[in-house]
Amino acid sequence: MRKDVRILLVGEPKVGKTSLIMSLVSEEFPNVVPYRAEEITIPADVTPERVPTHIVDYSEAEQTDEQLFQEISKANVICIVYSVNNKRSIEKVTSHWIPLITENTDKDSRVPLILVGNKSDLVEHSSMETILPIMNEYSEIETCVECSAKNLKNISELFYYAQKAVLHPTGPLYCPEKKDMKSLCIKALTRIFKVSDLDNDGILNDNELNFFQRTCFNSPLEPQALEDVKSVVKKNLSDGVCDNGLTLKGFLFLHTLFIQRGRHETTWTVLRRFGYDDDLELNQDYLFPPLKIPSDCTTELNHNAYLFLQSVFDKHDKDRDCALSPEEVKDLFDVFPYMPWGPDVNNTVCTNDQGWITYQGYLSQWTLTTYLDVQRCLEYLGYLGYSIIAEQESQASGITVTRDKKIDLQKKQTQRSVFRCNVFGDISSGKSGFLQAFLGRNLMAQKMIREEHRSYYSISTTYVYGQEKYLLLHEVFPDFDYLSDADLACDIVCLVYDVSNPYSFEYCAKVFKQYFMDSKIPCMMIAAKSDLPEIKQMYGCTPLEFCRRHKMPPPQSFTCNTAGAPSRDIYTKLTTMAMHPHARLRCMCTCNRCTFCLCQNFLNSELLQTVRAKLYAVVLRRHVSQADLKSSTFWLRASVGATVFAVLGFAMYRVLLKPR
């Protein structure tokens, strides 16, 4: 909504421009009329639209043409005043004033015009027959008002209409020649209908209509009023009402009726509530609400945003197969001005056997967009009507800005749910295969991916200690000399080399030494294509020795050349390391040879489990009576025994963990 309205009055000398202004202000006809009234500002609280209004007078006797041109360029609406008893002043409207205004205004920013017939008290007939052809010829003319400064007839109405012409202009909404709404207006209202159609059945039922009414006008419709609205539509349009609900045709007809009856402020209220500006484009403030993101912080969707996105998915998953077909995806993004997801999205997130994006993949893509480009995410949520449907102030309320990563390191815990893993490796080292394997695609499935649809990202969920987390893999282009800050900013680094290529490991070693050796970012070495014969790497030391020297976990064997979906264990390990970068994990394998694995195997061994079971049996069956169970002395002894057993077990655990 505009902050203020500037009204300019022009016309031939002695038609009563100044008298109109003075009659409005003093509420009586002035005895003495000056050549020109000073600019008057009417406060917002005394105007019907609650907007400050500036009224500017023009006098040919006191002002130059240059001053007139400046006032025309500053005006929001121009009232061309003529005298109803002066034929020449009416002729001047088309021969002089309208061409003059057109020449001195920007063609793209049309200024609405109001024709004002003053001195109606001096004639018995109306001038409307003469004025109507002029109104039909010039689309910028909003309306015509006949008034009398002397009798105070229609004075306040005149300035109300002028104000209304600025705040609720008819021009962008309606074409008088075609007697129908303009295409941009139809497009905007169609989006509003689809956003408001919460179950996507093509009908606004009573609940949806009431929600729409409450959202736009802060009050629900009374049951009788609701029936009256549907009755009017049904009477004029056979397919405007279906199953006792309003169809899209009925919704558009209703707004056409509002405009034709001079109630276009109703349509503008709806349009502005859903984010549209005066040009029927979505407002930038609506699409991109302010969101402060400090450095070293990330952005994630919060619970409310996920609930909203789940409802959008359910709304468009018509066949209830927990996946979106291409037609369903197209329907979902029908409220967008463009298609936001390309074919690469299907290779970025999980899909079903038909290649359709699954529910998990859908949420993953939204999570990826939020993490990489939160402004784009805000824009997308705006198109879907998040702030309206979720009843939030703006899309920004659906975003969580995580705390600084340095605080996570200090506290040795994180509240984040999304972790980024940058994947480095030389050409043909197996990086792309590693990314696609995370989405459950083996080598055979990966061969079906077209090169132009390839994605350098993949994202899915993993479970760490029972918590669902998102792991985002980013394949970094293997140009060693041009690694940007974005290539280096991540939670964990994955260095991939090809075990069958003797020169593959050297690139990983160089990247690590150049960029990550002195970094606090944890790193993991991946021995890719482990199904192929391993060849000695042409480097100063073996990959295992390299990892030991730099206190990294040993190289992890990996292959995507499997019959089914590749193993996801490695991705869980990566997420675990990303969540706990402060913890130097001694072992990330199941080799059954290292100290860590021997200790784990002992703790889980059948012998230890048998001993524990025997102890329980002895304590519970042979020495425990009902009286004992009620005795505090028994429970004290049991507690002491359990404590001793735990201390001895922990001591044994620490001894076994000591380096040999």
Side-chain angles (χ1 to χ4, degrees):
M1 186 67 74
R2 285 183 179 274
K3 293 181 179 177
D4 58 4
V5 173
R6 191 174 182 86
I7 303 171
L8 173 65
L9 275 70
V10 299
E12 294 301 295
K14 307 220 173 175
V15 292
K17 304 184 294 296
T18 308
S19 299
L20 288 169
I21 298 172
M22 297 184 74
S23 293
L24 174 72
V25 174
S26 62
E27 296 186 348
E28 62 180 7
F29 185 70
N31 294 321
V32 180
V33 181
Y35 283 112
R36 176 175 173 266
E38 293 298 321
E39 180 178 325
I40 292 168
T41 299
I42 302 175
D45 56 354
V46 297
T47 63
E49 296 290 341
R50 302 291 176 185
V51 176
T53 303
H54 311 282
I55 302 174
V56 182
D57 192 10
Y58 163 71
S59 171
E60 188 179 280
E62 291 194 352
Q63 291 176 289
T64 64
D65 288 346
E66 186 60 35
Q67 288 174 314
L68 172 61
F69 301 155
Q70 287 179 1
E71 290 295 350
I72 288 173
S73 65
K74 290 191 291 183
N76 302 127
V77 58
I78 299 174
C79 296
I80 304 176
V81 184
Y82 64 91
S83 176
V84 293
N85 65 341
N86 186 336
K87 191 175 180 183
R88 184 175 176 277
S89 69
I90 298 175
E91 291 171 353
K92 280 281 191 174
V93 169
T94 53
S95 64
H96 176 69
W97 289 109
I98 292 179
L100 180 72
I101 292 166
T102 305
E103 288 171 12
N104 290 279
T105 53
D106 189 355
K107 292 180 180 178
D108 296 327
S109 57
R110 168 187 167 278
V111 179
L113 305 178
I114 306 287
L115 299 186
V116 182
N118 192 22
K119 304 185 181 180
S120 63
D121 58 292
L122 299 179
V123 295
E124 294 181 359
H125 62 276
S126 172
S127 63
M128 293 306 291
E129 287 186 12
T130 310
I131 295 301
L132 278 174
I134 300 174
M135 291 180 65
N136 292 332
E137 184 180 351
Y138 296 96
S139 59
E140 56 265 43
I141 298 174
E142 287 285 325
T143 189
C144 176
V145 183
E146 287 192 346
C147 56
S148 169
K150 188 172 184 178
N151 294 344
L152 305 182
K153 179 186 174 184
N154 288 341
I155 303 296
S156 57
E157 286 82 357
L158 155 65
F159 291 100
Y160 168 69
Y161 286 130
Q163 210 179 43
K164 190 175 173 182
V166 178
L167 302 176
H168 311 299
T170 312
L173 306 181
Y174 191 73
C175 180
E177 293 83 7
K178 296 180 181 178
K179 295 187 180 349
D180 199 3
M181 286 190 295
K182 291 186 176 178
S183 58
L184 274 178
C185 183
I186 292 172
K187 183 180 177 183
L189 289 171
T190 300
R191 170 185 166 263
I192 290 168
F193 178 90
K194 290 185 176 180
V195 168
S196 304
D197 183 12
L198 302 178
D199 55 8
N200 200 30
D201 63 350
I203 297 168
L204 293 184
N205 58 39
D206 287 358
N207 289 333
E208 290 165 343
L209 277 170
N210 264 317
F211 180 78
F212 171 82
Q213 179 76 11
R214 194 172 64 250
T215 298
C216 296
F217 304 101
N218 297 319
S219 62
L221 280 170
E222 293 295 328
Q224 187 56 50
L226 202 58
E227 290 304 317
D228 290 344
V229 167
K230 288 186 282 190
S231 178
V232 169
V233 174
K234 194 185 294 184
K235 187 177 179 181
N236 291 274
L237 201 66
S238 58
D239 52 355
V241 176
C242 181
D243 295 333
N244 203 35
L246 209 60
T247 65
L248 174 59
K249 284 185 178 180
F251 184 74
L252 295 176
F253 168 78
L254 206 55
H255 282 281
T256 305
L257 207 60
F258 289 147
I259 296 166
Q260 288 174 342
R261 292 181 178 179
R263 290 178 54 195
H264 36 280
E265 65 270 17
T266 303
T267 301
W268 273 117
T269 301
V270 171
L271 290 165
R272 287 184 176 124
R273 178 66 184 90
F274 279 79
Y276 289 93
D277 60 18
D278 289 349
D279 298 320
L280 295 184
E281 298 289 341
L282 282 169
N283 201 306
Q284 293 299 295
D285 293 337
Y286 168 81
L287 290 177
F288 304 104
L291 181 66
K292 188 177 180 181
I293 307 169
S295 59
D296 215 18
C297 297
T298 59
T299 46
E300 300 176 0
L301 293 166
N302 62 27
H303 180 65
N304 287 335
Y306 277 120
L307 285 178
F308 170 75
L309 292 170
Q310 288 168 15
S311 70
V312 172
F313 182 93
D314 293 339
K315 173 178 172 176
H316 293 90
D317 181 22
K318 293 182 178 178
D319 52 9
R320 298 290 181 263
D321 62 348
C322 287
L324 294 176
S325 68
E327 292 76 21
E328 289 170 341
V329 170
K330 186 178 178 182
D331 184 41
L332 191 154
F333 292 123
D334 196 37
V335 294
F336 283 54
Y338 56 87
M339 175 57 74
W341 290 1
D344 60 312
V345 172
N346 293 59
N347 300 314
T348 305
V349 298
C350 294
T351 57
N352 63 11
D353 295 338
Q354 295 169 284
W356 298 353
I357 296 172
T358 62
Y359 172 71
Q360 185 61 58
Y362 164 83
L363 292 181
S364 296
Q365 179 61 25
W366 277 100
T367 303
L368 174 71
T369 306
T370 308
Y371 186 94
L372 295 180
D373 190 350
V374 69
Q375 291 299 317
R376 184 65 60 86
C377 179
L378 290 172
E379 180 189 0
Y380 291 174
L381 288 172
Y383 292 137
L384 290 172
Y386 171 78
S387 60
I388 291 107
I389 303 303
E391 299 184 80
Q392 299 290 330
E393 187 177 343
S394 72
Q395 296 88 271
S397 64
I399 306 297
T400 296
V401 178
T402 65
R403 69 186 181 189
D404 194 318
K405 195 175 176 182
K406 292 173 187 173
I407 299 175
D408 285 351
L409 290 170
Q410 289 170 2
K411 292 184 177 289
K412 296 187 177 181
Q413 61 180 354
T414 182
Q415 299 169 332
R416 290 186 295 148
S417 298
V418 185
F419 299 91
R420 176 169 179 160
C421 172
N422 283 357
V423 182
F424 295 84
D426 208 354
I427 296 171
S428 301
S429 60
K431 300 188 300 298
S432 298
F434 184 72
L435 263 69
Q436 290 301 311
F438 185 34
L439 306 176
R441 299 180 184 123
N442 58 20
L443 188 62
M444 188 66 69
Q446 292 176 29
K447 288 179 180 178
M448 307 295 290
I449 299 173
R450 294 165 63 177
E451 183 61 29
E452 62 268 27
H453 296 165
R454 181 183 171 190
S455 174
Y456 292 95
Y457 291 93
S458 69
I459 182 170
S460 189
T461 55
T462 59
Y463 284 87
V464 177
Y465 305 132
Q467 297 179 343
E468 185 182 47
K469 302 294 180 182
Y470 282 95
L471 179 64
L472 163 60
L473 301 178
H474 174 217
E475 179 184 344
V476 179
F477 191 75
D479 193 338
F480 181 80
D481 297 322
Y482 294 97
L483 293 179
S484 65
D485 291 341
D487 295 330
L488 305 175
C490 57
D491 300 301
I492 184 168
V493 171
C494 201
L495 301 162
V496 180
Y497 71 95
D498 179 359
V499 298
S500 64
N501 182 348
Y503 302 99
S504 184
F505 178 74
E506 184 180 8
Y507 176 87
C508 295
K510 283 183 178 179
V511 168
F512 177 81
K513 285 187 172 182
Q514 178 72 25
Y515 297 104
F516 300 108
M517 189 163 68
D518 299 322
S519 169
K520 293 183 179 179
I521 301 173
C523 299
M524 181 184 283
M525 201 72 71
I526 303 294
K529 305 182 184 180
S530 59
D531 57 302
L532 301 176
E534 187 172 356
I535 297 175
K536 182 181 178 182
Q537 295 294 318
M538 303 302 288
Y539 189 70
C541 62
T542 66
L544 180 60
E545 290 170 349
F546 183 89
C547 290
R548 283 178 176 169
R549 264 184 217 171
H550 298 287
K551 298 180 181 179
M552 293 166 59
Q556 305 294 298
S557 298
F558 178 81
T559 180
C560 56
N561 189 11
T562 56
S567 171
R568 288 173 57 91
D569 291 346
I570 185 67
Y571 305 106
T572 304
K573 293 175 183 178
L574 285 169
T575 312
T576 306
M577 289 178 69
M579 284 179 65
H580 306 284
H582 54 276
R584 288 284 181 179
L585 301 179
R586 295 171 184 266
C587 179
M588 293 294 291
C589 67
T590 53
C591 62
N592 296 322
R593 294 191 298 273
C594 66
T595 306
F596 185 86
C597 286
L598 289 172
C599 182
Q600 290 285 359
N601 289 342
F602 173 72
L603 291 174
N604 295 320
S605 65
E606 187 177 345
L607 174 63
L608 195 63
Q609 300 295 332
T610 304
V611 171
R612 188 173 65 177
K614 293 279 187 185
L615 283 171
Y616 284 156
V618 168
V619 171
L620 293 176
R621 281 190 301 181
R622 297 187 182 178
H623 300 288
V624 181
S625 65
Q626 289 295 327
D628 288 334
L629 288 173
K630 295 178 181 179
S631 169
S632 58
T633 307
F634 166 76
W635 287 111
L636 179 63
R637 282 183 301 177
S639 301
V640 171
T643 304
V644 171
F645 183 77
V647 170
L648 289 174
F650 182 71
M652 188 188 305
Y653 181 82
R654 293 298 298 272
V655 168
L656 286 170
L657 277 179
K658 284 184 179 179
R660 292 179 179 179

